[in-house]
């Protein structure tokens, strides 16, 4: 399944929503009954805003709550994502959507349903192997010396499989770059030590051993020190 098909595949079209001419009292009762944190509000078939109970608090405290309509409330209008957008393009927009849901629309802007933010994040974690199957390794690399192909080749020569990687600046001044890898290897300890011998600066790595293996780790360090002599 292509990632730009993932959104349509995990669309929740049956999630409750309300039109903007719904009575506030009815909406409140429904949200409470179904334990809904937030619900989409639609105007003439197109998504208008994501509504939370907090938005309805002023109405709850006023005498207009019986007759007020959703359109009478000043709701913060929100954009949507397209059902054919690529999953990676959606990630940068997640923070702009209120609550735990992401509204989805078709190419003409008509509301189709919602996606759960949790679903998107779980898929991203799967794509970049952020679970238990991989280990994390970060290298400090001067910007002028950055040759990604050489770094990956070095990792592979040391029996490591690169599952995914990312790149970001080491500091605000931009003096260097950090390469962050998710790798699979049978011996991360050996991999790190070999990279250090090649002159790479290790910024971070996953733990080599568990606490119960501390004694083994110390013996390994002593052995490497002896070989270096």
């Amino acid at each position: 399944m292509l990632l730009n098909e993932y959104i349509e595949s995990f669309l929740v079209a049956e999630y409750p929503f309300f039109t903007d001419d719904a009575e506030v009292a009815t909406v409140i009762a429904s949200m409470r009954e179904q334990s809904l944190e937030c619900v989409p509000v639609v105007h003439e078939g197109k998504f208008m805003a994501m509504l939370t109970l907090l938005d309805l608090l002023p109405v709850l405290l006023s005498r207009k709550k019986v007759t007020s309509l959703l359109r009478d409330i000043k709701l913060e209008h929100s954009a949507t994502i397209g059902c054919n957008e690529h999953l990676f393009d959606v990630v940068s927009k997640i923070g702009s959507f209120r609550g735990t849901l992401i509204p989805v629309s078709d190419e003409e802007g008509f509301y189709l349903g919602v996606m759960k933010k949790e679903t998107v994040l779980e898929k991203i974690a799967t794509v970049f192997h952020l679970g238990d199957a991989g280990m994390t390794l970060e290298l400090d690399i001067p910007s002028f010396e950055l040759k990604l192909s050489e770094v990956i080749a070095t990792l592979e020569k040391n029996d490591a499989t690169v599952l995914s990687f990312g790149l970001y600046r080491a500091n605000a001044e931009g003096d260097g770059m950090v390469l962050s890898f998710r790798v699979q290897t049978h011996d991360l300890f050996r991999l790190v030590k070999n990279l250090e011998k090649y002159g790479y600066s290790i910024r971070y790595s996953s733990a080599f051993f568990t606490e119960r293996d501390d004694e083994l780790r110390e013996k390994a360090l002593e052995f490497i020190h002896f070989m270096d002599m």
Side-chain angles (χ1 to χ4, degrees):
M1 178 174 62
L2 300 176
L3 290 184
N4 59 332
E5 296 173 349
Y6 180 83
I7 294 174
E8 187 173 359
S9 299
F10 282 82
L11 181 71
V12 184
E14 66 276 11
Y15 191 89
F17 70 93
F18 295 92
T19 57
D20 61 342
D21 59 353
E23 290 189 355
V24 172
T26 301
V27 175
I28 293 174
S30 180
M31 291 182 69
R32 285 177 170 174
E33 181 181 352
Q34 300 180 67
S35 299
L36 300 176
E37 176 188 347
C38 54
V39 291
V41 178
V42 177
H43 173 70
E44 295 183 350
K46 296 187 177 182
F47 177 80
M48 177 179 172
M50 195 65 73
L51 178 73
T52 68
L53 284 175
L54 185 62
D55 297 320
L56 300 175
L57 184 59
V59 182
L60 282 170
L61 299 177
S62 71
R63 296 180 180 178
K64 299 179 182 180
K65 63 181 180 181
V66 177
T67 58
S68 293
L69 304 179
L70 290 182
R71 67 164 65 107
D72 300 326
I73 303 173
K74 293 182 179 179
L75 297 176
E76 181 180 347
H77 286 237
S78 171
T80 66
I81 63 171
C83 61
N84 293 320
E85 283 194 64
H86 195 283
L87 186 65
F88 293 166
D89 295 330
V90 173
V91 174
S92 63
K93 305 176 185 179
I94 286 182
S96 65
F97 299 116
R98 303 177 65 194
T100 59
L101 304 175
I102 301 174
V104 182
S105 61
D106 64 14
E107 295 179 355
E108 297 181 355
F110 287 98
Y111 173 77
L112 295 176
V114 297
M115 277 190 73
K116 296 180 180 180
K117 289 183 180 180
E118 180 182 1
T119 302
V120 175
L121 296 176
E122 286 176 353
K123 185 61 178 179
I124 293 295
T126 300
V127 171
F128 288 100
H129 300 272
L130 303 180
D132 296 334
M135 303 174 185
T136 302
L137 180 66
E138 286 194 340
L139 309 178
D140 274 314
I141 307 288
S143 298
F144 59 88
E145 293 182 3
L146 178 58
K147 293 183 179 180
L148 185 57
S149 59
E150 291 184 1
V151 179
I152 293 177
T154 301
L155 292 170
E156 292 177 340
K157 287 178 181 178
N158 284 271
D159 300 322
T161 300
V162 177
L163 302 175
S164 65
F165 65 88
L167 178 68
Y168 64 94
R169 295 193 179 279
N171 51 56
E173 290 72 26
D175 295 334
M177 306 297 293
V178 177
L179 278 173
S180 182
F181 292 95
R182 289 291 288 174
V183 300
Q184 277 185 337
T185 177
H186 295 296
D187 193 344
L188 181 62
F189 181 74
R190 174 176 171 272
L191 173 64
V192 168
K193 291 304 174 183
N194 283 345
L195 289 174
E196 289 176 339
K197 288 182 179 180
Y198 299 151
Y200 288 104
S201 175
I202 309 300
R203 184 184 185 94
Y204 172 84
S205 70
S206 296
F208 300 132
F209 305 99
T210 60
E211 292 182 2
R212 62 185 177 182
D213 294 326
D214 280 346
E215 183 178 351
L216 178 61
R217 177 178 181 275
E218 292 301 323
K219 289 182 178 179
L221 287 171
E222 291 177 5
F223 176 76
I224 290 176
H225 178 68
F226 173 77
M227 294 298 292
D228 289 340
M229 294 176 62

